[in-house]
Amino acid sequence: MLFKQQAWLRQKLLVLGSLAVGSLLYLVARVGSLDRLQPICPIEGRLGGARSQAEFPLRALQFKRGLLHEFRKGNASKDQLRLHDLVQQLPKAIIIGVRKGGTRALLEMLNLHPAVVKASQEIHFFDNDENYGKGIEWYRKKMPFSYPQQITIEKSPAYFITEEVPERIYKMNSSIKLLIIVREPTTRAISDYTQVLEGKERKNKTYYKFEKLAIDPNTCEVNTKYKAVRTSIYTKHLERWLKYFPIEQFHVVDGDRLITEPLPELQLVEKFLNLPPRISQYNLYFNATRGFYCLRFNIIFNKCLAGSKGRIHPEVDPSVITKLRKFFHPFNQKFYQITGRTLNWP
Ligand code: A3P
């Protein structure tokens, strides 16, 4: 009898215990999601119209993820999206470069902001003659659906170094905002080399060492014909852009700092884009396995960048690094002077 009572009591305690743990987990999840939604969701004053200002921003965020996801899966029609006031808008800001500067990380991180919608693919509209020939409507149709009050951002790093691009972008929108993310030029050049090297290795192609490409073996000077070197002479490219756009329309992002301390860099971009500050430390967490910051959209959805971002660079002869740094130094000084942003590059 006593044994039966004890078993019954144990069973009851087990049920009560499970209920308590379940409720606790629910509360933690709820508080977690509220914590997160409060700082990043409201877009005061930006999502006007007849709707309730208080609830629209949250819905905007949900729709932004949900409907677009359905659309990609082919479950939502274009008409349904239009019914929700969703439109395809030309970008109000473009990440024009620099290749290997952290352009993908910047775009993905800005996309954490509820008022920002990213074009996932690099569109290469302005740098590719064939695409450009298809016209601005073709470009607009490549843009994701968004609310009219949201801003669309695309990134195509080839824009920064392609001759024709500034004029073409100017013709589309002379007041567009332009983001340039840069890294210490020698590191960027090695990162550029590493990417090309990986492609060549995959195709079983022969390749040279970085040192052989970056230094002209005849003169022992820096080889300015090597594209990875040329791309890192930021000031030369920027000067071409300045023939079309005033410097106030550019914002320089420190790509090295975006790796180690992304939030302050993103806050500067929010300011430049006149967006209310909505990206918080909650949205960025350091992943020790990846060795990089990853993105937290909510309590359920996190993501790190693909493995192709954050490659291990080959070791480069220190004397070549010193030579390159010396070479880039005067160009860097000019870049700081023009942009008004001093980066502590060697
Ligand atoms: P490495 O592969 O040399 O490390 P891009 O997107 O313009 O191609 O730039 C790639 C670079 O973004 C990577 O270069 C990496 O260092 C940098 N990066 C910045 N933040 C990152 C992040 N959170 N996750 C992964 N890579 C990041």
Side-chain angles (χ1 to χ4, degrees):
M1 182 67 182
L2 189 67
F3 178 73
K4 247 187 171 176
Q5 264 184 345
Q6 274 179 342
W8 179 83
L9 205 63
R10 222 178 293 133
Q11 211 176 359
K12 270 260 181 241
L13 280 173
L14 204 70
V15 171
L16 280 172
S18 316
L19 272 173
V21 170
S23 314
L24 198 68
L25 281 175
Y26 171 77
L27 273 174
V28 168
R30 193 126 174 80
V31 169
S33 65
L34 286 177
D35 264 348
R36 157 171 158 51
L37 290 172
Q38 269 162 11
I40 111 153
C41 285
I43 322 170
E44 302 104 325
R46 298 184 61 81
L47 297 164
R51 300 173 180 85
S52 145
Q53 294 263 328
E55 69 174 347
F56 196 104
L58 178 55
R59 282 180 49 222
L61 189 65
Q62 287 162 345
F63 275 153
K64 182 175 144 182
R65 312 282 177 220
L67 262 182
L68 293 180
H69 183 62
E70 288 301 304
F71 182 58
R72 277 195 207 106
K73 285 195 312 186
N75 295 342
S77 68
K78 282 196 179 185
D79 285 343
Q80 269 176 304
L81 289 166
R82 281 196 199 98
L83 238 154
H84 290 289
D85 291 343
L86 288 158
V87 282
Q88 285 165 296
Q89 306 186 73
L90 288 172
K92 295 243 166 57
I94 303 183
I95 300 170
I96 55 173
V98 179
R99 175 184 152 93
K100 305 322 293 171
T103 52
R104 174 57 61 185
L106 179 61
L107 182 71
E108 297 294 332
M109 287 174 180
L110 288 177
N111 190 52
L112 288 162
H113 197 293
V116 170
V117 181
K118 63 161 184 176
S120 296
Q121 307 294 322
E122 289 181 11
I123 300 176
H124 290 281
F125 177 62
F126 298 103
D127 62 307
N128 178 311
D129 288 344
E130 196 185 324
N131 288 342
Y132 191 66
K134 291 176 184 161
I136 203 80
E137 269 309 290
W138 178 88
Y139 183 52
R140 203 175 57 78
K141 290 268 164 60
K142 290 277 170 200
M143 294 298 154
F145 281 87
S146 61
Y147 287 102
Q149 299 86 343
Q150 292 177 310
I151 63 164
T152 302
I153 302 189
E154 82 125 325
K155 75 118 180 164
S156 294
Y159 291 168
F160 187 57
I161 56 161
T162 309
E163 192 102 17
E164 300 81 3
V165 173
E167 185 182 359
R168 289 175 175 179
I169 294 188
Y170 182 85
K171 279 184 182 157
M172 174 187 74
N173 177 359
S174 62
S175 59
I176 197 157
K177 301 210 172 193
L178 302 163
L179 294 161
I180 316 173
I181 178 162
V182 287
R183 269 163 97 189
E184 189 277 308
T186 304
T187 311
R188 196 221 63 82
I190 297 171
S191 172
D192 199 330
Y193 167 81
T194 311
Q195 170 156 313
V196 176
L197 174 72
E198 195 182 282
K200 295 215 168 177
E201 274 177 340
R202 220 181 306 120
K203 291 177 196 155
N204 265 333
K205 285 190 173 170
T206 51
Y207 58 91
Y208 294 106
K209 285 190 81 175
F210 176 77
E211 291 83 340
K212 201 163 176 203
L213 297 167
I215 307 293
D216 184 331
N218 299 318
T219 62
C220 285
E221 293 302 324
V222 170
N223 179 9
T224 49
K225 290 200 184 95
Y226 178 40
K227 195 172 171 196
V229 166
R230 273 206 327 272
T231 303
S232 283
I233 310 177
Y234 305 137
T235 182
K236 288 267 176 226
H237 303 288
L238 183 60
E239 278 164 22
R240 274 188 300 101
W241 284 82
L242 289 172
K243 288 183 193 147
Y244 293 89
F245 298 97
I247 195 68
E248 294 72 34
Q249 271 172 249
F250 296 85
H251 175 76
V252 174
V253 178
D254 180 347
D256 296 306
R257 190 168 177 228
L258 193 84
I259 296 175
T260 56
E261 216 186 335
L263 187 59
E265 280 305 315
L266 296 169
Q267 287 170 333
L268 290 174
V269 180
E270 286 180 324
K271 221 181 236 172
F272 172 68
L273 297 177
N274 292 325
L275 294 171
R278 286 294 174 270
I279 303 173
S280 72
Q281 201 57 64
Y282 177 89
N283 302 122
L284 302 156
Y285 67 96
F286 188 75
N287 181 317
T289 318
R290 284 287 281 119
F292 284 99
Y293 275 88
C294 296
L295 286 63
R296 183 185 285 128
F297 286 84
N298 53 46
I299 195 161
I300 298 163
F301 184 54
N302 306 330
K303 77 166 184 183
C304 295
L305 262 60
S308 59
K309 304 293 171 187
R311 296 184 176 100
I312 295 168
H313 297 179
E315 246 179 62
V316 173
D317 184 332
S319 69
V320 170
I321 293 192
T322 308
K323 195 169 250 192
L324 281 167
R325 288 192 167 152
K326 239 187 188 156
F327 168 80
F328 287 124
H329 187 78
F331 298 113
N332 296 342
Q333 298 302 312
K334 194 144 184 227
F335 184 73
Y336 303 156
Q337 196 194 341
I338 296 175
T339 59
R341 179 142 204 203
T342 302
L343 299 157
N344 295 318
W345 296 332

